[in-house]
Amino acid sequence: MEKHEVLLPSSSSLDASPFEANPSSGSNVHVQSEEFLKSKRKETLSERRGKEIMKHKYVFQTRSQIDKLDDGFRWRKYGEKLVKNSKFPRSYYKCSYRGCNVRKHIQRHSKDEQIVETTYEGMHVHPVEKSAESFDQILRSFITSNQLNNVTPI
DNA sequence: CGAATTTGACCCGCGC
DNA sequence: GCGCGGGTCAAATTCG
């Protein structure tokens, strides 16, 4: 497995333009911030995991052929499942940092295999160890949005 | 040697 | 109550 650099917008401004609008663009990122108000499962499961952070969900759509996008954090794959909605299996990743229960799942589009939908759940509580300038601004925006939307002490 | 990855099994929630 | 779908964990294996 080799690292693959994703084409990200040089502009620090994250525009919420639909990725389908400009498929010709070499790089296009779609960031969606949704408020996870509805609990998907009971406390039993959440409690079992140990207080997971599912307050906000961030959908990150990028054009890449590699799933293991290095966004500056260490991700440990903990599962892979094939969903009926997609012909491609969905990969589940978790932050390897102790105490950082950030989870992310990646799913490929059945129509456009070049498009990978990365969904981030939770916020990181540790500095970036990698030099991902491209992703740095994105991640920073993510964290900023998280803190701005809801300041939840971990 | 340690950490990360893989695949399968298990579990839970929901629908019928 | 059973089945389907989705999600997570765990043990084994491989890579660095």
Side-chain angles (χ1 to χ4, degrees), chain A residues 119-137:
Chain A
T119 307
Y120 289 83
E121 293 183 28
M123 59 183 96
H124 292 280
V125 289
H126 59 95
V128 186
E129 49 186 278
K130 306 275 277 231
S131 307
E133 324 99 47
S134 304
F135 265 102
D136 182 58
Q137 49 191 306

Side-chain angles (χ1 to χ4, degrees), chain A residues 42-94:
Chain A
K42 291 300 183 79
E43 288 182 300
T44 32
L45 200 66
S46 299
E47 197 176 75
R48 178 185 171 192
R49 289 289 166 276
K51 294 295 176 295
E52 299 292 334
I53 310 102
M54 40 165 54
K55 300 184 182 304
H56 289 83
K57 182 174 64 178
Y58 299 90
V59 184
F60 200 92
Q61 294 179 347
T62 52
R63 291 181 76 249
S64 177
Q65 299 179 15
I66 311 296
D67 286 1
K68 287 194 277 297
L69 304 176
D70 194 38
D71 50 5
F73 296 103
R74 220 65 173 204
W75 298 100
R76 160 191 152 265
K77 189 197 287 183
Y78 68 89
E80 195 177 272
K81 199 64 175 218
L82 193 76
V83 284
K84 289 183 70 68
N85 207 12
S86 235
K87 29 190 277 194
F88 300 104
R90 179 183 290 173
S91 307
Y92 299 90
Y93 294 86
K94 246 164 108 174

Side-chain angles (χ1 to χ4, degrees), chain A residues 9-20:
Chain A
S10 305
S11 305
S12 57
S13 57
L14 296 173
D15 190 66
S17 55
F19 72 96
E20 56 184 76

